[in-house]
Amino acid sequence: QVQLQESGPGLVKPSQTLSLVCTVSGGSVSSAGYYWTWIRQHPEKGLHWIGYIHYSGKNYYNPSLKSRLTISLDTSKNNFSLKLTSVTAADTAVYYCARVVTARDASDIWGQGTMVTVSS
Amino acid sequence: DIQMTQSPSSVSASVGDRVTVTCRASHDISRYLAWYQQKPGKAPKLLIYGASSLQNGVPSRFSGSGSGTDFTLTISSLQPEDFATYYCQQADSFPFTFGPGTKVDIK
């Protein structure tokens, strides 16, 4: 049974870098049939798709975040990560990692989510 | 970006009711649409992909239909565990975008 688990600091200061890791268990990030995504949800708001990475190296970033965003994959550790630079209070959100089945274009497995607050 | 809208934004219903949620895309997305259920404090759960395909393990009282720009999620007989917020998401083009959600609560 594949499971995803986010980890990282819950508090980040403004202008600093937000770094999160999603560890995959029960499956491999090197599987061709999936890509690995980050999605965030502002408090009491809807879902916002951040970007994805595939083990082939292919990735896509939401243009609204592209200049500050890096998503990378570590096959040796079976995880993928998100780095968002120059954060502001607007980046305060619950961050989810999820697996997307390429044949279905839908996120079938999600991490539990991690709350990140940007505040001094 | 493709904009997604949902209606209603909230609905009050009773156990056993039939509930319908509508999702509309700003551009033709063929059948590249998924539906998710989210309960407070939990991650979203995939219900439907490809507009009408039921995800493994999801009860058959959930169904999806539509293509192009107009889609529907139907719960045929609402159960206590179905009270939640429902989101549609287009997967036709990046960035994938979500609807604002429809909250189904107890009448």
Side-chain angles (χ1 to χ4, degrees):
Chain A
Q1 180 182 356
V2 178
Q3 293 184 313
L4 280 63
Q5 177 69 58
E6 305 92 348
S7 59
L11 181 65
V12 181
K13 288 182 166 50
S15 80
Q16 294 192 342
T17 297
L18 183 164
S19 297
L20 297 174
V21 174
C22 181
T23 300
V24 180
S25 59
S28 173
V29 297
S30 299
S31 299
Y34 308 107
Y35 48 93
W36 307 94
T37 71
W38 289 97
I39 294 160
R40 71 182 183 180
Q41 186 169 33
H42 295 98
E44 305 302 321
K45 298 290 186 183
L47 298 158
H48 182 78
W49 197 80
I50 296 172
Y52 83 81
I53 190 163
H54 187 261
Y55 92 101
S56 64
K58 182 177 180 181
N59 61 29
Y60 181 89
Y61 297 163
N62 193 312
S64 66
L65 298 170
K66 187 174 183 178
S67 63
R68 301 190 291 130
L69 180 65
T70 302
I71 298 176
S72 57
L73 198 72
D74 188 333
T75 55
S76 66
K77 295 180 179 178
N78 210 38
N79 67 31
F80 61 105
S81 63
L82 172 150
K83 290 188 189 300
L84 188 64
T85 63
S86 305
V87 297
T88 70
D91 295 308
T92 293
V94 175
Y95 286 76
Y96 294 101
C97 60
R99 183 182 84 168
V100 178
V101 182
T102 55
R104 299 181 176 182
D105 286 320
S107 301
D108 66 335
I109 298 176
W110 295 62
Q112 66 184 25
T114 187
M115 179 69 201
V116 178
T117 301
V118 178
S119 175
S120 55
Chain B
D1 298 4
I2 294 176
Q3 305 302 314
M4 307 299 292
T5 57
Q6 288 181 233
S7 61
S9 57
S10 65
V11 57
S12 295
S14 301
V15 173
D17 284 353
R18 181 182 183 90
V19 173
T20 298
V21 180
T22 297
C23 175
R24 176 164 289 175
S26 61
H27 297 84
D28 187 334
I29 60 170
S30 185
R31 295 177 61 81
Y32 293 102
L33 186 99
W35 289 97
Y36 298 88
Q37 175 194 68
Q38 187 178 34
K39 296 181 179 179
K42 300 294 187 182
K45 173 188 173 183
L46 178 63
L47 300 175
I48 302 281
Y49 62 92
S52 62
S53 296
L54 197 66
Q55 173 68 0
N56 294 343
V58 174
S60 59
R61 62 180 180 272
F62 291 93
S63 63
S65 64
S67 65
T69 60
D70 295 311
F71 302 86
T72 299
L73 172 71
T74 300
I75 309 172
S76 60
S77 178
L78 198 66
Q79 297 302 299
E81 60 268 31
D82 300 338
F83 291 97
T85 299
Y86 294 85
Y87 294 94
C88 61
Q89 177 229 303
Q90 66 84 15
D92 176 72
S93 60
F94 291 115
F96 289 175
T97 45
F98 293 87
T102 294
K103 185 175 182 180
V104 177
D105 59 22
I106 301 172
K107 192 178 226 178

